Amino acid sequence: MSLYYDAATVLTATAQGGSLKSRIYGNKSGFKSKPAHIYALISETAKYDQFLKEVVDNAGLLVQERKLTPILSLLLVHDHFFSKSGLAAPSAHPLRLAIERNKARLQAEFAKARLRRRCATLDDLRRSLLAENPRAYQSQPRWVRINTLKTSFMQESATTFEGYKSVATIMEVTDSFGTEKILSIDRHVPDLIALPPEADVTKTPAYRDGKLILQDKASCFPAYMLLGEHDDSSHIGYCIDGCAAPGNKTSHLAALLAKMERTESKVFACERDPNRSKTLISMMRKSGADAVIVQASCDFLTLNPHDSQYKKVTHLLLDPSCSGSGIIGREDIPILALPVDGKSEKAHPTSSRNASRKRKRDHAHEGPAEDTNEAEETRAVAPDSTRLLKLSNLQTKIVEHALSFPAAVRVTYSTCSVHVEENEAVVSRVLSSRIAKKGNWRLLRREEQVCGLREWAHRGMHMSADAANCSPALIEADREACIRCNPGDDEGTMGFFVCCFVRAPPRTPCKASDTLHGEESWEGFSD
């Protein structure tokens, strides 16, 4: 069966192709099997490899079946015992026959290994093995946003997710078995749920009809921060998504406006790339975002803020091009504990690999996720500092352009980058700009943010002199106004940054002791 050969190819490839997900889904030559099936097989086998090695070795499988490789033996034995549907191979296929010839010995050794762990059921065994052999990485959940333009959480609970158990934490979701029907209702963003990493909703009628949208939790923050939950939404006019494709945030904007019954509000969606514009148009049709006016092949920077069609634009969402340093694969390529190679009858030379694996696991539990981020910073910033500076300058220009729209009162800025140069440094330069000072722009403070985001723990970072690039350091209140998401931590998000600029009304001086970004502060703001 090609599934097992394809999975073995991924695990034995000499070229380092990034994460497991990128190797499978980004394979240029293509596999005969579906990428989702390859991914599920490898990730599930990696959870139980030590146990599977024990069974294979004690059953003498590779001694009896010289044509099997150690990796193939793990993949096959995994599916034989742990897959609900068993081996994915025809009855006469050589791989299935190899397992069938040794079925009795494998079954006996499997039972002995299970009883040694005092596990009465297969589910007990799974839990025991996950505790015994914790993963060296934090899997990402499958985030799904309920598209309220077409459905509701209650409707999907009664249909698509009927029979699912609701759990409290992301860890419970990511540590679950692929076949478990569980979900976690997000506590920060409404209508967002987390499913197990191997969950596939793309085959459901709800997904095909545009009722479910696959969208990372972090990328749901900008639209929610921009529009939030208002008792009085009369101040919300038209919106602009300045860098819209593929359209997840755009459709989220449209859904939030519909919830507020802002039927007269429009969303102008700009996308300068023609091909991505087609994707954006398709996404808006599928999601039922009728309020969106797609401005295809349109660069946001070319819009004239004083054009009459934009005179009612009050809210702008900006997610411009960035380094993408916060985007992560679900995990690195797993290094499996391999059985004894039957062709040599000597231990397979994996001891150093297993030692490396142990060091990797130990390191993963030694310190916080910031250690990983710092390593990522060192690896990415040093050779790409020129590119980061160019991106940062462009990002600053885009935000300043948004602030120039006459009726604008809120502008969110976000990136999927972990670099200070593209995040806090951009915010600092914008706040120091002539246009921000002239328009009385400041950051939406933490205590003013919508409740779910106000409770988010991770906030803006201090800037080093190099990263700041001559920009003034943000004061503590401004750092607290910025939200950060850290890749690989227990929140299950990619690396992300978001903040919101708000325009203050005509100002009246307050206490001289108060400061706002190094300047005099003012009371009376209400948007």
Side-chain angles (χ1 to χ4, degrees):
M1 175 66 180
S2 59
L3 173 62
Y4 302 105
Y5 292 120
D6 286 344
T9 298
V10 172
L11 291 168
T12 56
T14 54
Q16 294 302 308
S19 68
L20 176 60
K21 184 179 178 183
S22 65
R23 278 204 193 184
I24 295 173
Y25 289 88
N27 186 275
K28 297 294 190 293
S29 57
F31 294 114
K32 293 181 180 179
S33 306
K34 292 182 178 180
H37 294 172
I38 301 172
Y39 174 82
L41 174 60
I42 293 175
S43 58
E44 288 296 308
T45 300
K47 293 178 183 178
Y48 314 122
D49 60 334
Q50 293 280 359
F51 177 84
L52 295 169
K53 167 182 163 56
E54 182 181 331
V55 172
V56 170
D57 281 342
N58 290 343
L61 178 62
L62 293 179
V63 175
Q64 299 296 323
E65 303 293 337
R66 300 299 181 99
K67 291 184 179 181
L68 284 183
T69 66
I71 287 178
L72 277 175
S73 72
L74 289 185
L75 298 171
L76 292 166
V77 172
H78 169 272
D79 272 11
H80 180 64
F81 288 113
F82 288 103
S83 174
K84 188 176 181 180
S85 55
L87 283 172
S91 58
H93 195 281
L95 292 182
R96 177 181 283 277
L97 293 176
I99 297 300
E100 291 293 335
R101 284 192 291 268
N102 298 273
K103 186 175 180 179
R105 281 193 298 274
L106 288 169
Q107 187 67 51
E109 294 302 333
F110 183 91
K112 290 177 186 176
R114 176 175 58 81
L115 293 173
R116 278 196 292 272
R117 290 164 175 81
R118 299 180 180 178
C119 297
T121 67
L122 189 60
D123 280 351
D124 289 341
L125 177 62
R126 284 189 172 112
R127 294 187 184 91
S128 174
L129 294 177
L130 288 176
E132 173 186 313
N133 192 26
R135 281 173 278 184
Y137 53 83
Q138 175 61 49
S139 289
Q140 297 294 102
R142 179 76 69 180
W143 290 104
V144 178
R145 178 167 62 81
I146 309 296
N147 180 15
T148 53
L149 290 169
K150 288 193 166 186
T151 187
S152 67
F153 179 76
M154 293 300 293
Q155 287 176 292
E156 296 310 308
S157 296
T159 54
T160 307
F161 303 114
E162 183 181 10
Y164 277 64
K165 175 187 175 184
S166 178
V167 297
T169 68
I170 298 300
M171 291 291 286
E172 290 177 88
V173 172
T174 56
D175 284 343
S176 65
F177 316 131
T179 56
E180 280 192 279
K181 288 188 171 184
I182 66 170
L183 57 80
S184 178
I185 302 171
D186 191 64
R187 69 186 190 279
H188 297 106
V189 179
D191 305 307
L192 184 68
I193 62 173
L195 298 176
E198 292 81 15
D200 184 8
V201 299
T202 60
K203 297 181 178 64
T204 63
Y207 177 81
R208 291 194 294 268
D209 293 342
K211 296 177 180 178
L212 303 180
I213 294 175
L214 299 179
Q215 184 174 358
D216 189 273
K217 173 178 176 173
S219 75
C220 295
F221 285 5
Y224 190 43
M225 178 177 276
L226 185 68
L227 297 181
E229 296 168 337
H230 298 278
D231 294 329
D232 177 18
S233 61
S234 60
H235 66 287
I236 299 176
Y238 292 176
C239 301
I240 290 180
D241 186 342
C243 318
N248 287 339
K249 298 180 187 70
T250 319
S251 66
H252 195 192
L253 275 178
L256 291 171
L257 287 171
K259 262 192 167 184
M260 298 173 190
E261 299 183 349
R262 296 293 298 170
T263 54
E264 70 279 14
S265 294
K266 299 177 182 178
V267 180
F268 295 101
C270 302
E271 177 51 53
R272 65 180 184 177
D273 183 86
N275 291 327
R276 287 170 60 83
S277 294
K278 293 177 184 177
T279 302
L280 176 61
I281 292 170
S282 176
M283 176 67 178
M284 294 307 98
R285 287 173 180 165
K286 183 178 180 180
S287 64
D290 298 332
V292 175
I293 301 171
V294 176
Q295 299 188 309
S297 304
C298 174
D299 188 335
F300 171 69
L301 288 173
T302 66
L303 297 188
N304 179 2
H306 300 284
D307 190 309
S308 59
Q309 66 178 320
Y310 305 127
K311 66 181 180 181
K312 294 183 180 179
V313 169
T314 57
H315 291 62
L316 296 93
L317 185 151
L318 307 173
D319 190 68
S321 298
C322 69
S323 65
S325 54
I327 299 174
I328 59 174
R330 295 195 178 178
E331 71 271 4
D332 294 331
I333 299 296
I335 301 174
L336 303 179
L338 298 179
V340 172
D341 191 337
K343 288 182 284 295
S344 64
E345 297 190 8
K346 294 180 181 179
H348 194 276
T350 59
S351 57
S352 61
R353 297 171 70 192
N354 290 338
S356 172
R357 181 185 188 179
K358 182 180 185 301
R359 287 194 298 272
K360 187 176 181 183
R361 283 182 178 151
D362 290 344
H363 178 72
H365 295 284
E366 281 173 0
E370 284 74 14
D371 293 343
T372 304
N373 291 346
E374 184 177 348
E376 180 67 24
E377 283 270 296
T378 303
R379 185 168 60 251
V381 173
D384 294 333
S385 56
T386 301
R387 178 170 179 258
L388 283 179
L389 180 58
K390 289 180 178 178
L391 285 168
S392 180
N393 289 337
L394 175 61
Q395 292 153 354
T396 302
K397 187 177 180 180
I398 288 173
V399 178
E400 290 179 356
H401 186 63
L403 302 187
S404 67
F405 282 74
V409 294
R410 279 198 181 198
V411 175
T412 55
Y413 169 68
S414 61
T415 73
C416 52
S417 170
V418 299
H419 300 308
V420 169
E421 290 89 338
E422 299 178 270
N423 298 326
E424 288 85 356
V426 169
V427 172
S428 175
R429 284 201 298 277
V430 169
L431 289 174
S432 301
S433 68
R434 179 189 59 81
I435 193 166
K437 292 178 179 179
K438 183 179 178 181
N440 295 333
W441 288 94
R442 64 172 178 84
L443 290 183
L444 182 71
R445 293 184 288 268
R446 181 172 184 171
E447 61 270 19
E448 298 168 325
Q449 293 168 9
V450 66
C451 182
L453 299 186
R454 188 188 316 149
E455 296 171 357
W456 184 259
H458 309 297
R459 296 286 155 168
M461 296 171 58
H462 289 274
M463 296 187 294
S464 67
D466 290 341
N469 191 31
C470 301
S471 304
L474 293 177
I475 63 172
E476 183 178 357
D478 286 343
R479 289 197 305 274
E480 281 291 299
C482 299
I483 283 179
R484 271 187 173 266
C485 299
N486 301 318
D489 68 8
D490 291 348
E491 297 288 354
T493 69
M494 64 178 172
F496 203 78
F497 174 91
V498 62
C499 68
C500 183
F501 296 89
V502 292
R503 191 199 293 267
R507 308 185 297 181
T508 55
C510 68
K511 295 183 298 181
S513 59
D514 291 337
T515 59
L516 178 64
H517 197 64
E519 298 186 327
E520 191 173 8
S521 178
W522 307 85
E523 292 178 337
F525 173 76
S526 173
D527 70 333

